[in-house]
Structure formats: structure tokens, C-alpha cells
Amino acid sequence: MSINPGDTEEKPAVSGDVIAMRMRCRLRRCVVTAVTLSLLLFLSSLWLPQGTIQDCEQSWRPCLSVYTPTRQVLRAAVTDAADHVLGGNDIIGECPGQKFQVSRLLLHLNSALGPASDVLLDPYLLCWEELIKFMESLGPLVGFFTHKVEEKITLIRQLSLEEDNQHLAPPPHHAYHSVRSMLEAELQRGVVSFDRQTPSGSRTLLRLHRSLLWLQLLLEKLATEREGRSMGELCRDAYLEVLAPHHPWLVQRAAELVFRTMPDRKVFLQLVCVRTQEEAEPVMSVIIAAIREIHQRTERELEIRNMLDLP
């Protein structure tokens, strides 16, 4: 078979154009991805904006902090709490091979239920440590924002440590022993401001309180809406209802990008260690009830002190 010389000259030119076009497309995608990730990293410094001990909101740079989980609840007390929350049944157990554990979250939630409808701060913060693992399991972009929650945990723990070092009072009279004691002590000491942002435990708690409601609404939507809607859409709905009114436009746009990267709902089923929506419903019912009780108690303490709108 004869070869046309013209064909041998044209093919490299056509092939070169195709390769160049593909390289431009790949480069464009890489640039867009890099810009998006950079934007998310920067905007994460504004997520749930609030001051820390270092007053980092004065800077345009992300306020990162060193964070390590600390202080475990006594095993015996936690076991008793588990029996109370789970009603003596075996609906929820350990899920091997993953960091987030529903059973551990429930233990901490129940341990946070103090006397006289109060909320104990140490187990409350342990709840958030477990919820951070949950959020990080939803994808790397969600992890960009969890460090702001970590900063809030660190701030309250630092305030509690300072109280310990000053030997002001032992538990249960410690100012940072519970939600009620912290709010009362900071009001009396003039730490809380109703006009400007301050690195107080009360203001920090309010931000965590709003985020807890967001997670509660997300779980409720996952429990009631069985098909058709993705986890990202349900996250967006809960966010628009609870957190978006408190965030600037840029943070809302960054959140929108995160919701688009949320995994399939099957990932959530794996996180709670079940295989089907039907199996997940009793598990979610227990989690939602526990979170709701903590949220309602905290809401009541903030409301009677007019702290639900601290700047």
C-alpha cells in the first residue's frame, strides 16, 4: 500500500494541535482548582468569625492554632451515661476502622447533661472533638473549616486553664465548670461585651451553639428525606437556615463550594456504621434527641442573659 507524502506531513501538525489544546485545558483546570483551594483556605479564616486569646481577628491572615484533644471523661461515668442515653439497648456500637464513633459522641453528649438543666463544659467540648472527626470524614474541603471550631475549643480550654492556675475556685464552683457558671462569671467580671467582639468564652460558646444547631438540622433532614436530594443539598439548606445569616457574602460563597464537594449519602451511612436508610433511622433518632437536649439547655442559658446576638 502506498503512502501519501502529504498525509505524513499533516498528521504531526494535527496531532500537535490536539496535544496543545489538551494541555491548555489541563492547565486551565489546574489553575482553577488551585485558585479555588487558595480562596477556600483564605476564607476559612473568616468561618464562624470570632476573636481568640491572641485577638487574631485583627489580621487578614487565617488564625491557625495548635490543637490537641485533651482530658477524657472517666470510663465508669461514661459507661453509665451510655446506658442512660441508649436506653439499655444495643442500637449503637463501635464501628471499627474509622475515627468518628457515634457511640463515643453519645457518651460525651450525655455526660454533658449537668444538674438543674445545666451543661457541663468539659464533656461538651469532647462532643465537639468527636464532631470534628465527623466533619473531616466528609471530605478534605470540609476540613479547611474545622480548624475554626478547634480554635474555639482551645480558647475555652485556655480560659479554664487560666482559672485553674489562679486557684480561684475548685469544681463545681469553677467559673468554666459549666455553661451556666461560665456565662454568669464572665458577665460579673465584665468580660462580655454586647457592642464589640471580645475573646470571651460566652461569645465563643455562642458560635459553637449555632454550629451545633446546623448539625442537628442536617441530621434531621438526613433522617426525614430518604431519596432524591444529595447530602450537599441538605447541608446547604441547614446552613442557609442557621449559619448563613451570620456570615459575610464571601464566606457564604466559600461554603457553597464546599457543599458541592460533599460525598454521597452512602458515606454518611458508613460513618454511623449501618448499611441502609432504614437501619440509620433509629441511630439518627438517638443522636438528634441527644444533640437537641444539649442545644435547648444552652439556648435557654444564653437567652435569659440576652446573649443570643453577641457581636
Side-chain angles (χ1 to χ4, degrees):
M1 184 177 70
S2 62
I3 298 176
N4 189 331
D7 291 341
T8 61
E9 294 176 359
E10 276 186 305
K11 285 183 179 179
V14 173
S15 178
D17 290 342
V18 172
I19 292 174
M21 182 170 62
R22 288 177 179 174
M23 290 181 64
R24 285 195 296 269
C25 290
R26 290 176 181 173
L27 179 60
R28 189 158 47 243
R29 284 197 297 268
C30 289
V31 171
V32 171
T33 302
V35 171
T36 301
L37 291 176
S38 298
L39 176 63
L40 286 172
L41 182 60
F42 171 74
L43 291 179
S44 65
S45 66
L46 301 175
W47 184 261
L48 297 178
Q50 86 136 54
T52 66
I53 292 176
Q54 294 80 17
D55 201 21
C56 66
E57 84 268 3
Q58 300 295 330
S59 172
W60 277 96
R61 296 183 177 183
C63 303
L64 300 176
S65 64
V66 176
Y67 167 74
T68 54
T70 58
R71 291 187 289 183
Q72 300 297 319
V73 177
L74 292 176
R75 185 176 298 275
V78 167
T79 302
D80 293 340
D83 293 338
H84 178 72
V85 171
L86 302 181
N89 60 46
D90 295 324
I91 293 177
I92 301 173
E94 288 290 321
C95 192
Q98 64 182 39
K99 293 182 178 180
F100 170 70
Q101 296 291 338
V102 173
S103 58
R104 193 157 53 230
L105 172 62
L106 285 169
L107 299 183
H108 297 327
L109 283 167
N110 191 71
S111 298
L113 300 177
S117 298
D118 202 356
V119 176
L120 305 181
L121 273 178
D122 193 49
Y124 176 84
L125 298 179
L126 288 172
C127 294
W128 270 110
E129 288 179 352
E130 201 63 32
L131 288 170
I132 286 172
K133 298 174 188 176
F134 169 74
M135 290 187 287
E136 289 177 340
S137 300
L138 298 179
L141 290 185
V142 180
F144 274 122
F145 299 127
T146 57
H147 78 271
K148 295 305 292 183
V149 177
E150 293 168 355
E151 284 183 353
K152 291 168 175 56
I153 296 173
T154 300
L155 187 145
I156 294 178
R157 287 239 170 92
Q158 181 63 35
L159 292 172
S160 179
L161 181 61
E162 292 175 0
E163 186 89 359
D164 289 338
N165 292 338
Q166 295 176 22
H167 306 289
L168 295 180
H173 305 291
H174 191 292
Y176 294 91
H177 174 67
S178 70
V179 166
R180 184 178 299 153
S181 63
M182 178 181 70
L183 300 181
E184 277 298 314
E186 291 195 339
L187 274 176
Q188 294 175 8
R189 297 172 185 177
V191 176
V192 180
S193 174
F194 293 87
D195 302 315
R196 59 185 179 84
Q197 296 182 4
T198 59
S200 65
S202 301
R203 183 177 183 274
T204 303
L205 175 70
L206 175 60
R207 271 60 187 173
L208 292 174
H209 177 67
R210 292 170 180 168
S211 297
L212 190 63
L213 180 58
W214 169 61
L215 288 170
Q216 176 188 321
L217 292 181
L218 170 60
L219 293 174
E220 290 174 352
K221 293 177 185 296
L222 285 168
T224 57
E225 300 192 30
R226 292 195 173 190
E227 298 177 356
R229 307 192 67 205
S230 67
M231 190 155 69
E233 291 174 321
L234 300 180
C235 274
R236 182 189 299 111
D237 288 352
Y239 172 80
L240 291 175
E241 186 173 344
V242 177
L243 294 178
H246 306 285
H247 290 168
W249 182 85
L250 284 176
V251 174
Q252 294 181 36
R253 299 286 71 77
E256 180 67 28
L257 292 175
V258 171
F259 298 143
R260 292 179 182 179
T261 68
M262 296 288 282
D264 189 86
R265 291 176 69 163
K266 292 180 180 179
V267 174
F268 173 76
L269 297 180
Q270 294 172 359
L271 286 175
V272 296
C273 218
V274 298
R275 292 167 296 181
T276 65
Q277 179 73 20
E278 289 73 21
E279 291 178 357
E281 286 177 1
V283 177
M284 286 190 285
S285 177
V286 174
I287 300 171
I288 292 168
I291 291 177
R292 183 185 295 118
E293 178 64 23
I294 293 293
H295 185 271
Q296 288 177 347
R297 291 186 178 202
T298 307
E299 178 91 1
R300 192 179 305 117
E301 296 298 326
L302 289 165
E303 184 177 20
I304 62 178
R305 295 170 180 81
N306 298 316
M307 288 184 172
L308 288 174
D309 296 304
L310 291 177

